[in-house]
Amino acid sequence: MTGRRPPVGAIMRPLATATALVLAYYLLPMDKRFTGVAAVTLVLGLAALLLLFVRQLRSISASSRPRLRAVETLATTVPLFLLIFATTYYLLERNVPGSFSEHLDRTGALYFTLTVFSTVGFGDIVATSASARIVTTVQMVADVLLVGVAARVVVGAVETGLRRREAPPAPAEDA
């Protein structure tokens, strides 16, 4: 990369987005119980995340700074992904107390989500109900896909953007 500094917006946008997402997680009322509607909301949230990700891949390829755009993409997509699962765990625990080895408040749900995502799994909080184990298993599979497949796709989009940027301009057609 050249010696140019990244634009301030490229740093501030993902930071502001992640901050807004965490604030929303803590401040939005989540008084509803985890029901079939909440399960559908989890699936729709993940589908929306996938659509957002695909849209951002296109912007990486078309960007004049694809590496920077890729960092922005990951810095907004990963927190949203994690907060979707943290919300699901929080609502699940509210609906079926005892789904985990200890009561999960919002911070506990976020902590559990991050230990599953990082594959650390300290063992201090474990899923005990079948529904909690199913959601945790879905997160584990999605984590592997996010880290492996999504990372590779982002790298491919960066490479496409770099090739596009370095390609000589196409000759103009004479009319």
Side-chain angles (χ1 to χ4, degrees), residues 82-95:
L82 295 171
L83 289 168
I84 288 170
F85 277 100
T87 300
T88 302
Y89 295 132
Y90 174 73
L91 293 174
L92 180 61
E93 176 63 20
R94 287 181 55 88
N95 186 49

Side-chain angles (χ1 to χ4, degrees), residues 51-82:
L51 290 173
L52 172 68
F53 186 69
V54 168
R55 183 173 174 259
Q56 289 180 333
L57 287 175
R58 290 184 182 137
S59 73
I60 293 168
S61 298
S63 174
S64 62
R65 297 178 129 182
R67 289 184 190 104
L68 190 58
R69 187 68 188 107
V71 170
E72 285 183 76
T73 295
L74 292 175
T76 55
T77 304
V78 172
L80 180 57
F81 172 84
L82 295 171

Side-chain angles (χ1 to χ4, degrees), residues 9 21 30 46 50-51 77 99 108 118 126 171:
L21 288 170
M30 289 192 269
L46 292 173
L50 180 62
L51 290 173
T77 304
S99 289
S118 65
V126 295

